[in-house]
Amino acid sequence: DQQVKQNSPSLSVQEGRISILNCDYTNSMFDYFLWYKKYPAEGPTFLISISSIKDKNEDGRFTVFLNKSAKHLSLHIVPSQPGDSAVYFCAATFNQAGTALIFGKGTTLSVSS
Amino acid sequence: DAGVIQSPRHEVTEMGQEVTLRCKPISGHNSLFWYRQTMMRGLELLIYFNNNVPIDDSGMPEDRFSAKMPNASFSTLKIQPSEPRDSAVYFCASSFLGLFTVTDTQYFGPGTRLTVL
């Protein structure tokens, strides 16, 4: 059973608008969450993370929100740009270095100009 | 730094053949992870090493899979014999685990796309 779920396989957004990618998790013991971005024929690259002691983390156009009670996190991209078109993976882990990341299946974001 | 290097980038082989995937982690990193990506299961961890020692291999699907890390700059993932269901993209990632590191960012290689006919 998947512990990290990204229920939307794809999302299409117009340039300049907001992209919201969602992620749900089932294990309440997870306490660190990450978003990775992946372009075709490349490995995933780290985008942004959030610890469970926070409910928001912002880095430029990217903001991650965490709702622990709902076991839900989301990634907001504002404004969206065509170069943001990629597969976005949500990942969760325990707040202990060297532990594996548990990934969702990814959401493909397409930003049209 | 060149980042995590994986070879080959593409591998096509026939069922029953031995396949060896290679990974060179980022210099100075002391944790190495092997992941597999499939449409059905997404990205899943196979095994990870810390200071060249396997720490968690619970994700290795079966005895046909084996991984080694003979030194800090090289790791292999071997499948023998290979089967069509092993077809996937295999990623290697590395990170630095320090004395005071709480959580570490893993850096991924470009992956090896394996096709077993």
Side-chain angles (χ1 to χ4, degrees):
Chain A
D1 189 28
Q2 277 226 303
Q3 297 189 68
V4 178
K5 299 178 184 178
Q6 294 177 256
N7 292 319
S8 297
S10 62
L11 175 67
S12 295
V13 172
Q14 281 195 319
E15 182 178 9
R17 306 292 278 252
I18 184 170
S19 295
I20 300 176
L21 296 102
N22 294 303
C23 178
D24 297 294
Y25 61 96
T26 57
N27 190 337
S28 58
M29 299 300 289
F30 288 139
D31 48 17
Y32 196 71
F33 305 89
L34 307 91
W35 285 93
Y36 277 76
K37 179 169 73 172
K38 182 183 180 304
Y39 292 118
E42 295 182 12
T45 55
F46 172 74
L47 188 58
I48 192 169
S49 63
I50 187 167
S51 165
S52 61
I53 62 173
K54 296 185 175 181
D55 54 20
K56 176 183 174 181
N57 187 28
E58 192 172 352
D59 183 2
R61 297 186 297 114
F62 302 92
T63 303
V64 56
F65 294 92
L66 175 62
N67 182 335
K68 289 188 292 292
S69 60
K71 296 194 186 72
H72 177 84
L73 63 155
S74 60
L75 174 68
H76 292 211
I77 307 173
V78 183
S80 302
Q81 299 173 354
D84 296 330
S85 298
V87 179
Y88 288 79
F89 290 97
C90 170
T93 188
F94 306 100
N95 206 13
Q96 178 182 339
T99 55
L101 299 175
I102 299 173
F103 285 89
K105 289 190 176 181
T107 297
T108 300
L109 173 65
S110 300
V111 181
S112 57
S113 54
Chain B
D1 200 311
V4 176
I5 298 173
Q6 290 186 247
S7 64
R9 293 294 308 274
H10 302 274
E11 177 79 34
V12 180
T13 190
E14 291 189 343
M15 182 174 64
Q17 297 297 306
E18 177 179 297
V19 175
T20 300
L21 311 181
R22 297 172 176 79
C23 175
K24 176 178 168 53
I26 291 173
S27 177
H29 282 189
N30 55 9
S31 291
L32 183 140
F33 306 78
W34 281 101
Y35 290 89
R36 177 171 68 175
Q37 183 185 19
T38 60
M39 290 293 290
M40 289 296 294
R41 301 175 67 90
L43 262 170
E44 52 180 348
L45 177 74
L46 299 177
I47 185 170
Y48 95 84
F49 296 84
N50 181 247
N51 292 323
N52 313 336
V53 176
I55 302 299
D56 182 359
D57 65 354
S58 59
M60 295 286 263
E62 47 197 276
D63 292 344
R64 296 185 299 105
F65 285 70
S66 62
K68 293 182 179 179
M69 192 164 186
N71 57 62
S73 58
F74 184 65
S75 175
T76 59
L77 177 67
K78 186 178 292 186
I79 308 172
Q80 164 64 15
S82 58
E83 296 182 3
R85 60 192 168 122
D86 301 331
S87 298
V89 181
Y90 291 80
F91 289 103
C92 175
S94 71
S95 68
F96 176 73
L97 171 61
L99 199 57
F100 300 106
T101 304
V102 176
T103 48
D104 48 319
T105 298
Q106 296 179 21
Y107 296 85
F108 283 75
T112 295
R113 180 173 294 278
L114 173 65
T115 303
V116 183
L117 303 174

